[in-house]
């Protein structure tokens, strides 16, 4: 399997405070990689540096030091123009905790999906465009009449998440970065949404970075888990190996909650 993303010695230091500057080492010498078609999880408690890591990979926040390579290219050096950045965001796509925050509230759902079509060079008003939108909605289990013509606030949290995944289906990114993608959704709906991510991987060999504080979820969906603690990766491995042989005390504590959570994530 080829490596799609390589993160090497990534560090982010924030300067905070006005009067007396404080340095916060949010991400501390982090290295990991993601293979084609692989699902990895970054698991860690609040403030452990997960979102900061995601933002640097998404090229939204410059690292203090370290290298991020996508398909062998250093993204902070190789991407120079707006066009290249647009192309990068087509390949590396973010799904956030509450997609409501990432929707423009005055755009209808049609417009959100049409934009995705435009990005891949398809006219939304063409027959092909309309067919693709129907297919995308059906892929994520939505009925067009339930969502088209509506504004984001008129949808449920689960429906908004599904639209985000429908966008992914249209854009077919190589890598999805899903930051707490189901934490705002009703427990009963979570399994179905997670399954959509897994389907994307099965159907299109999409790689995914799941970001969560929920070890049960990470255990269930990941090929490999990376445990973050205070900005560092303190443990890593395939879920069962990690369960058998956790190195860090923090990992042990997280894993204690897995047996019950494991049942929670069963959707069949
Ligand atoms: N813009 C910023 N300026 C200063 N400090 C920041 C900034 N953003 C994040 N931090 C700090 O960096 C650390 C890591 O934050 P980050 O958001 O990456 O954590 P996280 O693992 O995503 O947490 P959560 O699970 O709560 O989302 C925290 O101590 C946070 O307070
Ligand atoms: Mg976060």
């Amino acid at each position: 399997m080829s490596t799609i993303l390589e993160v090497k010695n990534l560090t982010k230091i924030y300067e905070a405070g006005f009067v007396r500057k404080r340095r916060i080492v949010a991400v501390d010498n982090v290295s990991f990689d993601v293979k084609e078609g692989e699902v990895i999880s970054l698991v860690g408690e609040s403030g452990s540096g997960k979102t900061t890591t995601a933002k640097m990979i998404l090229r939204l926040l410059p690292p203090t030091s370290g290298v991020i390579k996508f398909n062998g290219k250093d993204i902070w050096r190789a991407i120079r123009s707006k066009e290249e950045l647009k192309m990068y965001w087509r390949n590396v796509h973010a799904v956030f905790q509450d997609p409501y925050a990432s929707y423009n509230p005055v755009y209808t759902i049609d417009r959100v999906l049409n934009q995705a079509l435009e990005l891949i060079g398809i006219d939304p008003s063409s027959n092909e465009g309309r067919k693709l939108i129907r297919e995308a909605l059906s892929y994520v289990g939505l009925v067009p009449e339930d969502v088209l013509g509506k504004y984001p606030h008129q949808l449920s949290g689960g429906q908004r998440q599904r639209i985000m995944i429908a966008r992914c289906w249209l854009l077919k990114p190589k890598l999805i970065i899903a930051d707490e993608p189901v934490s705002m959704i009703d427990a009963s709906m979570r399994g179905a949404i997670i399954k959509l991510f897994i389907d994307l991987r099965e159907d299109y060999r999409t790689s995914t970075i799941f970001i969560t504080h929920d070890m049960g979820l990470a255990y269930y969906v990941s090929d490999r888990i990376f445990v973050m603690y205070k900005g560092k990766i303190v443990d890593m491995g395939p879920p069962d190996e990690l369960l058998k042989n956790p190195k860090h005390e923090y990992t042990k504590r997280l894993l204690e909650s897995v047996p019950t959570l494991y049942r929670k994530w069963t959707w069949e």
Side-chain angles (χ1 to χ4, degrees):
M1 260 198 302
S2 58
T3 299
I4 185 164
L5 184 83
E6 207 183 334
V7 173
K8 250 195 191 151
N9 307 114
L10 193 64
T11 296
K12 179 70 194 183
I13 301 172
Y14 290 113
E15 303 267 352
F18 291 105
V19 184
R20 214 178 301 152
K21 285 253 188 277
R22 260 185 332 123
R23 278 161 45 96
I24 298 164
V25 185
V27 175
D28 191 357
N29 201 22
V30 158
S31 302
F32 63 91
D33 63 353
V34 186
K35 309 259 189 305
E36 195 191 323
E38 188 184 33
V39 176
I40 70 143
S41 290
L42 295 181
V43 186
E45 64 191 0
S46 184
S48 56
K50 305 180 298 294
T51 297
T52 303
T53 303
K55 282 184 181 164
M56 290 190 279
I57 297 171
L58 283 162
R59 219 185 174 286
L60 297 171
L61 182 74
T64 306
S65 60
V67 176
I68 300 165
K69 284 186 182 169
F70 179 73
N71 278 337
K73 276 193 188 154
D74 179 339
I75 61 157
W76 284 95
R77 283 172 187 272
I79 300 173
R80 298 228 165 255
S81 66
K82 260 191 176 163
E83 269 58 47
E84 286 170 318
L85 192 55
K86 245 184 164 174
M87 184 54 83
Y88 183 64
W89 285 332
R90 255 189 68 186
N91 283 324
V92 180
H93 198 71
V95 175
F96 290 114
Q97 180 169 35
D98 179 14
Y100 190 52
S102 38
Y103 283 125
N104 188 329
V106 299
Y107 285 7
T108 60
I109 298 305
D110 312 46
R111 191 153 167 194
V112 170
L113 295 172
N114 288 349
Q115 271 181 340
L117 283 179
E118 280 160 9
L119 272 173
I120 53 171
I122 293 169
D123 175 3
S125 60
S126 66
N127 284 339
E128 187 193 4
R130 285 202 300 270
K131 184 166 159 265
L132 277 171
I133 286 186
R134 276 198 307 278
E135 277 174 23
L137 291 174
S138 128
Y139 189 82
V140 299
L142 288 173
V143 179
E145 297 76 66
D146 286 351
V147 291
L148 292 183
K150 287 190 175 167
Y151 290 93
H153 74 270
Q154 296 172 311
L155 302 187
S156 71
Q159 284 173 327
R160 282 198 291 266
Q161 282 289 10
R162 283 169 195 258
I163 296 290
M164 288 290 266
I165 298 169
R167 255 182 76 88
C168 286
W169 185 88
L170 287 168
L171 295 171
K172 308 263 185 330
K174 299 267 183 295
L175 173 67
I176 296 175
I177 301 187
D179 193 348
E180 302 279 7
V182 290
S183 61
M184 308 273 285
I185 306 179
D186 222 85
S188 61
M189 293 285 300
R190 285 182 200 168
I193 301 287
I194 295 294
K195 185 167 185 308
L196 288 171
F197 282 105
I198 307 289
D199 286 349
L200 278 175
R201 170 260 197 89
E202 301 285 315
D203 296 346
Y204 304 102
R205 291 185 62 71
T206 314
S207 308
T208 306
I209 301 178
F210 256 106
I211 294 180
T212 180
H213 51 252
D214 186 338
M215 184 57 109
L217 169 61
Y219 179 83
Y220 199 39
V221 303
S222 317
D223 297 309
R224 286 184 299 156
I225 295 174
F226 295 84
V227 180
M228 283 191 82
Y229 184 68
K230 296 190 175 160
K232 291 190 167 71
I233 289 181
V234 294
D235 236 327
M236 58 190 255
D240 283 320
E241 277 177 31
L242 206 63
L243 191 67
K244 261 186 254 156
N245 186 23
K247 290 188 188 67
H248 201 272
E249 275 309 312
Y250 177 63
T251 314
K252 288 180 195 160
R253 264 190 284 143
L254 282 179
L255 284 164
E256 277 163 14
S257 58
V258 166
T260 47
L261 287 164
Y262 182 74
R263 276 199 297 279
K264 191 173 96 186
W265 290 106
T266 304
W267 53 70
E268 268 139 8

